[in-house]
Amino acid sequence: MEKRIRVLVAKPGLDGHDRGAKVVARALRDAGFEVIYTGLRQTPEQIIEAALSEDVNVVALSLLSGAHNTLFPKIVTMLNEKGMNDVLVVGGGVIPDADIPFLKESGVSEVFTPGTPTSNIIEFIKANVK
């Protein structure tokens, strides 16, 4: 039996809107992934602890508040410090195109902006999980 991909869908920071994260979480679940959703207003430390305890393959970060350039790289760094550099990190939310190169240089594998079909997210994860 093939091991299912485990995805942690996380909402870092003070962002109080999670409809998009829930849509993505449901699409991932429907595609056969195991999905763990952290809920709103998670600290980077809480996200890392959940990723460790749930033994996930993917951390999918959703942020609408504008703090992505601070929080996404911090979470990538913390994952690496915990020896979880094999975990795929993807981001999504209201993220300006101009910020995407910095996020990718910081270790976020892909950034999905509003309007991205969930099928694109699913295929990217399938193609890139080690």
Side-chain angles (χ1 to χ4, degrees), residues 9-24 37-42 61-66 92-94:
V9 176
K11 292 288 298 179
L14 299 176
D15 181 2
H17 302 280
D18 65 350
R19 183 173 179 198
K22 287 179 177 176
V23 167
V24 169
Y37 174 59
T38 64
L40 292 169
R41 298 181 184 94
Q42 298 293 296
L61 302 169
S62 172
L63 195 66
L64 306 174
S65 69
V94 181

Side-chain angles (χ1 to χ4, degrees), residues 20 23-24 64 92-95 111-121:
V23 167
V24 169
L64 306 174
V94 181
I95 298 172
V111 177
F112 301 100
T113 54
T116 300
T118 55
S119 59
N120 292 12
I121 301 167

